[in-house]
Structures are given as structure tokens and as C-alpha cells.
């Protein structure tokens, strides 16, 4: 019983999605048509691919190289934050944080009196959330929106490039307020990389991307990629976060059931009729239930694709539960600095609020 309780309490979003799905069954009739299987299957393929890329150590190799060229604490935070921004585009925000946060925090323990270490950790998380919005496969909500609205590649990148451009400007400005502290050279041995394995994973990545971008049918491309990944390393199947996949399934079921209620449909359609209300509404909802379920919940009731895309991606900023990546980053920081959890949450809230307000002001002129 303790193990069962621990299983559910360690992932409250999974528990909530399960309860909501069960409750929704009393209000609507379950139908498989409400489940977007392309999103779930593509997400599974991407997560399996990422697990293998992470195991190969490519990200760790790049991180150590960047740290070697960091002359002071500001440069170090800038390098690790920008690495988080760009790596999250391909490896998702969760994996970027899981890979880079331990590296960053290990380094901070070697640097006495580094006053910016919490700020650096928070910026790393913010950058991962923002960078992952550039590609459809960078985060789950974008993969869902890309599939649900049948966006073309050009349409998607038109939206994501604007968000990425503004994100880079905001991050560069934030670096200017960081303190400079000289770093002592650390003797870090670069991990060896197997070039043949890198080429192999690149080829499989192309197959997965072909399925995501509809170059090949996803139900053909993803199973082929999964087969070759299984041959490459069958143990990587254990590293896939199946609870995230189940969470998506539960939310699809819940949204499908609740959508059958006329009163819910009418209320949501009225709330998300314009660009501004959809943008602000999706941000507000993301703060409460996180941006992934917010995207799934709102999408069936609005055709404001641009506002919803920007809203749920910007909505990952703000509260600690606005994005799953935020919780992951907080858990890792707490493991390294247990006594600083309150300071982290305070700094996290302040910086995220500043970024969120800045985005709101900018997009008020763009929408």
C-alpha cells in the first residue's frame, strides 16, 4: 500500500489526470475518437530516441566543453543557459533539465560563494521551457497542437521563430544583471563518444522526424524507429516515462467526455473567441493545471491557433506547476541543496513573473 501511495504521490499530475478521466466518464460516453494516437505514438518514439541520445553522453560532452571556456560565473551561467535553450529544441525541456541541471549544480559546489547559483538554475529551467517550443517535438503541447490543427511546417515555424527570437533577447538581457566571479580551472575529463553510434542514432532520428512531420505515415515510421532502437539497446525501453504517455491518454479521455456537455462547450467557446482572450486565458489556465493539459483542454473550443500556441508555451513560465519541467528542475535542485528550497522557490517565482510580464507586454502588440 505504501508503494502504491508513493507511486501516485510522486506524480500528482498523473494522479489528477487519472481522477479527472474517471470523473469525466460519468458525464460523457467514452470514445476512442477523442484520443489523438498520433501524439501518443510519436511522443513514445521521441522519448525512446531521447533516452538513447542521453545515454550516449553527447549532451554531457558539449556541456563540459562549454564549461572549459567559461572565464567567470556570468559566462558559465550564460553558456549553460544557452545550451539548455538549444538542446531542449531537440531533446525536450525535461531531458535538457535532467541532463544539465546536475552538471551545473555539481560545478557550483566547487565554486565557493557563487551568489548567482540559484539564478543560474532558474534561468536554465526558463531557457529549457522556451527553447523546447521551437520544434513540434520539443515539448508535448506543441506536438499535440501541431497534430490537432494539422499545421504545415512553415506555419509552425512562423509561430515558433517569433517566440524563440523574443526569448533569446530576454535571456541576453537577463545575463547582464549577473555578477562576475572568476572561476578556478577544473580538470574535467571529456567522455569518449562512439561515432558509429552517433551516426546510427542520427539515421533513426530522421525516421522519427519523418513520422512527426508526415513525410512518412507515423504508424509506419515510428514502429520502424522503435524496432531499430530496441535492437540498438533494449534497456532504453525502461527509461521511457510511461506516466507521461498515460497522462496524455487520460486528458484526451477527459476532454472528449466533458466536451459532450453542452454547458461546458458553450462556456469554453465564449471564453476563447479572440486572440487576446485565448492568449491570456491559456496562460492563466497553465498556471493552475500546467501547459500540456491546458493545450489539450482549450484546443477543441477555439480556432485561435496562434494565440493558443504562444499562450501555452509562455504559460510554462510562472508557477512551479505551470510546466512539468519546472517541477523536475526544483526536485533536482532540492537534492543538491536541501536547505535552499525556499530560496529557490522565491527566486523562481520572481524571475518567472518578470519573464511572464515581459512576454505579456510584447505579445499585446503582436497579437
Amino acid at each position: 500500500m505504501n508503494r502504491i501511495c508513493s507511486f501516485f504521490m510522486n506524480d500528482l499530475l498523473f494522479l489528477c489526470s487519472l481522477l479527472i478521466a474517471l470523473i469525466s466518464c460519468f458525464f460523457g460516453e467514452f470514445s476512442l475518437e477523442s484520443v489523438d494516437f498520433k501524439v501518443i505514438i510519436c511522443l513514445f518514439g521521441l522519448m525512446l530516441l531521447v533516452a538513447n541520445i542521453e545515454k550516449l553522453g553527447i549532451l554531457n560532452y558539449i556541456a563540459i566543453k562549454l564549461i572549459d571556456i567559461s572565464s567567470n560565473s556570468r559566462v558559465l551561467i550564460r553558456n549553460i543557459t544557452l545550451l539548455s535553450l538549444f538542446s531542449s529544441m531537440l531533446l525536450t525541456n525535461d531531458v535538457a533539465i535532467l541532463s544539465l541541471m546536475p552538471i551545473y549544480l555539481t560545478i557550483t559546489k566547487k565554486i565557493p560563494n557563487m551568489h548567482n547559483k540559484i539564478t543560474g538554475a532558474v534561468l536554465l529551467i526558463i531557457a529549457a521551457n522556451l527553447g523546447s517550443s521551437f520544434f513540434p517535438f520539443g515539448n508535448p503541447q506543441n506536438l499535440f497542437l501541431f497534430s490537432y490543427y494539422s499545421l504545415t511546417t512553415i506555419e509552425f515555424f512562423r509561430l515558433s521563430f517569433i517566440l524563440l527570437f523574443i526569448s533569446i533577447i530576454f535571456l541576453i538581457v537577463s545575463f547582464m544583471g549577473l555578477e562576475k566571479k572568476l572561476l578556478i580551472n577544473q580538470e574535467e575529463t571529456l567522455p569518449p563518444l562512439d561515432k558509429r553510434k552517433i551516426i546510427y542514432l542520427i539515421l533513426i532520428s530522421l525516421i522519427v522526424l519523418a513520422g512527426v512531420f508526415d513525410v512518412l505515415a507515423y504508424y509506419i515510421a515510428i514502429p520502424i524507429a522503435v524496432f531499430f532502437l530496441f535492437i540498438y539497446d533494449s534497456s532504453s525501453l525502461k527509461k521511457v516515462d510511461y506516466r507521461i504517455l498515460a497522462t496524455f491518454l487520460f486528458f484526451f479521455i477527459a476532454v472528449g467526455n466533458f466536451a459532450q456537455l453542452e454547458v461546458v462547450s458553450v462556456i469554453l467557446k465564449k471564453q476563447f473567441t479572440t486572440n487576446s482572450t485565448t492568449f491570456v486565458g491559456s496562460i492563466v489556465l497553465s498556471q493552475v493545471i500546467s501547459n500540456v493539459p491546458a493545450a489539450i483542454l482549450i484546443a477543441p473550443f477555439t480556432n485561435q491557433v496562434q494565440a493558443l500556441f504562444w499562450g501555452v508555451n509562455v504559460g510554462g513560465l510562472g508557477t512551479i506547476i505551470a510546466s512539468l519541467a519546472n517541477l523536475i528542475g526544483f526536485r533536482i535542485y532540492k537534492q543538491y541543496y536541501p536547505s535552499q528550497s525556499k530560496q529557490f522557490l522565491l527566486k523562481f517565482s520572481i524571475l518567472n513573473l518578470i519573464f511572464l510580464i515581459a512576454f505579456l507586454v510584447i505579445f499585446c502588440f503582436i497579437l
Side-chain angles (χ1 to χ4, degrees), residues 20-31 34 253-262:
I20 292 171
L22 291 174
I23 294 170
S24 71
C25 291
F26 292 99
F27 298 94
E29 186 177 347
F30 169 71
S31 173
S34 62
I253 293 171
V255 169
N257 290 337
F258 284 129
Q260 296 174 33
L261 293 175
E262 187 176 350

Side-chain angles (χ1 to χ4, degrees), residues 11 13-14 17 242-252:
D11 194 336
L13 186 61
F14 172 80
S17 65
Y242 294 100
R243 283 187 290 190
I244 289 181
L245 299 176
T247 299
F248 262 74
L249 178 64
F250 295 148
F251 273 114
F252 281 132

Side-chain angles (χ1 to χ4, degrees), residues 213-231:
F213 287 105
D214 292 322
V215 177
L216 291 175
Y218 74 91
Y219 50 82
I220 296 175
I222 302 302
I224 290 174
V226 170
F227 173 75
F228 283 112
L229 287 170
F230 179 79
I231 294 175

Side-chain angles (χ1 to χ4, degrees), residues 42 45-46 48-50 53 90 135 137 197-218 220-226 228-229:
C42 287
L46 288 165
L48 187 61
L49 175 64
V50 165
I53 292 175
L90 299 173
F135 288 117
F137 46 82
K197 290 182 178 180
I198 292 175
I199 294 172
Y200 185 82
L201 290 179
I202 289 174
L203 293 175
I204 296 177
S205 299
L206 295 176
I207 298 174
V208 173
L209 295 180
V212 172
F213 287 105
D214 292 322
V215 177
L216 291 175
Y218 74 91
I220 296 175
I222 302 302
I224 290 174
V226 170
F228 283 112
L229 287 170

Side-chain angles (χ1 to χ4, degrees), residues 94-151:
D94 296 348
V95 174
I97 292 171
L98 284 167
S99 303
L100 293 176
M101 187 68 86
I103 295 172
Y104 168 72
L105 295 177
T106 300
I107 296 167
T108 62
K109 282 185 171 292
K110 300 178 181 179
I111 304 171
N113 303 319
M114 183 174 171
H115 302 296
N116 293 324
K117 66 171 177 286
I118 296 180
T119 301
V122 174
L123 288 176
L124 189 155
I125 296 170
I126 290 174
N129 277 322
L130 295 174
S132 64
S133 65
F134 187 66
F135 288 117
F137 46 82
N139 56 46
Q141 71 267 17
N142 281 356
L143 186 61
F144 166 72
L145 294 175
F146 182 76
S147 172
Y148 184 85
Y149 288 107
S150 300
L151 298 175

Side-chain angles (χ1 to χ4, degrees), residues 293-319:
I296 296 174
L297 180 61
I298 298 171
F301 303 101
T302 184
N303 57 3
Q304 306 295 330
V305 185
Q306 174 180 273
L308 180 58
F309 174 86
W310 286 337
V312 293
N313 280 289
V314 171
L317 306 174
T319 64

Side-chain angles (χ1 to χ4, degrees), residues 22 38 54 125 128 136 164 178 211 214 251 268 279 289 315 325 332 341 354:
L22 291 174
K38 179 184 178 181
E54 183 185 12
I125 296 170
L164 178 66
L178 298 175
D214 292 322
F251 273 114
L268 289 177
F279 178 67
I289 65 173
I332 296 174
S341 56
I354 292 171

